């Protein structure tokens, strides 16, 4: 499908999942879309990735839960959500009627919780794909984040992919030494693709109060400050895993940022924190992407994916570090 009023074809395929354009919302930055629908037509987006839902409702962490940092934002929301049952009955039906693919994000504390979530969502109409947020502590392994271990990654993704028929994307944390081995474990376990990256663990201190800026002490860093980390992770995983679809996430705001992620190897790009400052950042990036392609004589995105020349092989995770 061409972008409205232009000759440019923005469609992308992430395995069997076809999107009208590569720009999607990042989980947790868009709730289930209703608030954003006041600002623009959701059908202009490639897809909506919803806030991670858990088996039981979660109230989240105590305030303050957000802090601004240089070129970024720290958050410790704590996966506040109504629980999967309420989400399916109350929030999802509205979104399913909006002519935009829904990628449902799930999060759990144990492999069994992920499996139960997959079972609960298996036959729910209107879910185009699952994003499995494995950047969460595994309570059965001393709270070590699932996506910090190839074994735990493999276990969760196998559990989910053996239950659902829709494409599954594993959302990884950048807080690891070698992200390519984690991504490979997810793909070997049946993931259709990889979402890169979740927030980086960070901390800020209120020096007058001598206290952490967030009540939880630490939180996830997002926004422009993390874009180079995300682009690096996408580049490394694309080099290592070739055709595996990648959703690039982290600090994107403009069409130019989207092009950068695609040149690094992403098939689609999610925009999160930027929507807090500009609720229309996502549709603006869609329009800007069509303009960018036209200006550069490109009729589609086909020639851009992974088009960055040279750079590291992506296999040595520390290359270039001094
Ligand atoms: C307030 C907030 C809530 C988030 N909640 C989730 C979540 O529920 N699940 C998830 O996988 N990622 C969550 N994320 C991470 C984003 O989806 C994204 O990976 C990260 O913020 C980097 O992208 P950005 O810089 O464009 O925001 C959250 C981020 C923010 C800022």
């Amino acid at each position: 499908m061409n972008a409205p009023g232009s000759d440019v074809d923005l469609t992308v395929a992430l395995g069997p999942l076809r999107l009208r354009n590569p720009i999607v919302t990042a989980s947790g930055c868009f709730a289930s879309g209703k608030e954003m629908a006041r600002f623009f037509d959701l059908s202009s987006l490639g897809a909506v990735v919803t806030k991670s839902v858990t088996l039981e409702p979660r109230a989240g962490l105590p305030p303050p839960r957000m802090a601004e940092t240089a070129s970024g934002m720290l958050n410790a929301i704590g996966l506040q959500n109504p629980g999967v049952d309420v989400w399916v009955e109350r929030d999802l039906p509205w979104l399913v009627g909006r002519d935009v693919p829904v990628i449902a994000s799930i999060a759990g504390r144990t492999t069994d919780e992920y499996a139960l979530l997959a079972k609960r969502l298996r036959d729910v109409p209107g879910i185009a794909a699952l994003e499995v947020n494995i950047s969460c502590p595994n309570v059965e392994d001393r709270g070590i984040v699932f996506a910090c271990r190839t074994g735990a990654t493999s276990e969760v993704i196998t559990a989910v992919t053996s239950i659902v028929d829709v494409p599954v994307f594993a959302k990884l944390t950048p807080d690891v030494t070698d992200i390519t081995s984690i991504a490979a474990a997810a793909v070997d376990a049946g993931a259709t693709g990889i979402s890169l990256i979740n927030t980086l663990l960070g901390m800020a201190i209120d020096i007058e109060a001598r206290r952490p800026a967030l009540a939880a002490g630490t939180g996830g860093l997002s926004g422009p400050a993390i874009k180079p980390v995300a682009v690096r992770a996408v580049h490394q995983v694309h080099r290592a895993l070739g055709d595996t679809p990648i959703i690039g996430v982290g600090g994107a705001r403009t069409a130019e940022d989207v092009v950068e992620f695609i040149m690094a190897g992403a098939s689609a790009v999610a925009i999160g924190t930027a929507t807090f400052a500009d609720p229309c950042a996502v549709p603006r990036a869609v329009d800007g992407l069509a303009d960018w392609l036209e200006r550069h004589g490109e009729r589609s995105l086909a020639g851009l994916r992974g088009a960055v020349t040279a750079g590291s092989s992506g296999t040595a995770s520390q290359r270039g570090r001094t």
Side-chain angles (χ1 to χ4, degrees):
M1 188 181 97
N2 289 347
S6 105
D7 287 337
V8 172
D9 176 8
L10 292 182
T11 54
V12 286
L14 285 77
L17 182 66
R18 286 187 70 78
L19 307 183
R20 56 171 69 93
N21 69 65
I23 306 181
V24 309
T25 60
S27 177
C29 302
F30 208 75
S32 287
K34 215 168 190 167
E35 296 84 356
M36 289 293 171
R38 289 186 287 137
F39 296 99
F40 59 88
D41 180 0
L42 297 191
S43 70
S44 61
L45 309 180
V48 169
V49 183
T50 54
K51 168 83 189 162
S52 297
V53 284
T54 53
L55 214 47
E56 308 294 340
R58 289 204 200 168
L61 292 164
R65 312 199 291 184
M66 294 219 196
E68 203 173 326
T69 59
S71 301
M73 191 178 91
L74 274 176
N75 91 83
I77 305 288
L79 290 181
Q80 178 181 351
N81 79 95
V84 68
D85 288 331
V86 171
W87 183 75
V88 165
E89 277 142 38
R90 187 193 66 190
D91 299 340
L92 181 65
W94 180 88
L95 188 55
V96 166
R98 305 271 92 69
D99 185 27
V100 63
V102 176
I103 302 179
S105 171
I106 58 171
R109 282 176 297 215
T110 64
T111 302
D112 277 353
E113 284 192 7
Y114 284 98
L116 289 167
L117 282 159
K119 277 189 192 131
R120 177 68 181 86
L121 295 179
R122 179 174 46 196
D123 299 320
V124 174
I127 294 178
L130 285 189
E131 187 174 80
V132 186
N133 174 7
I134 48 173
S135 313
C136 310
N138 177 356
V139 297
E140 290 172 334
D141 187 13
R142 293 167 292 139
I144 295 170
V145 167
F146 288 94
C148 287
R149 305 251 196 210
T150 51
T153 297
S154 177
E155 215 178 273
V156 171
I157 300 301
T158 301
V160 173
T161 54
S162 62
I163 292 167
V164 299
D165 294 325
V166 293
V168 168
F169 292 82
K171 176 131 178 222
L172 305 188
T173 171
D175 294 330
V176 291
T177 310
D178 179 12
I179 200 151
T180 61
S181 60
I182 310 284
V187 171
D188 289 346
T192 301
I194 308 291
S195 298
L196 297 163
I197 55 175
N198 213 312
T199 52
L200 287 114
L201 191 63
M203 182 177 186
I205 295 172
D206 175 342
I207 57 170
E208 299 306 326
R210 301 187 183 210
R211 271 201 304 264
L214 298 174
T218 57
L221 183 66
S222 63
I226 73 167
K227 196 182 74 170
V229 178
V231 170
R232 180 270 298 168
V234 168
H235 177 64
Q236 286 182 323
V237 171
H238 178 62
R239 285 288 175 95
L241 301 185
D243 287 341
T244 300
I246 297 172
I247 302 178
V249 203
R253 185 178 61 86
T254 64
E256 286 75 11
D257 296 333
V258 171
V259 171
E260 187 177 354
F261 271 103
I262 292 173
M263 286 186 178
S267 302
V269 180
I271 296 181
T273 299
T275 58
F276 294 121
D278 174 9
C280 292
V282 185
R284 220 187 291 287
V286 175
D287 292 344
L289 183 61
D291 288 349
W292 193 95
L293 290 173
E294 265 175 17
R295 280 202 314 278
H296 291 78
E298 301 279 351
R299 296 182 66 89
S300 77
L301 293 161
L304 291 187
R305 184 173 183 220
V308 64
T309 51
S312 81
S313 71
T315 48
S317 59
Q318 305 291 317
R319 190 163 295 155
R321 190 175 271 194
T322 50

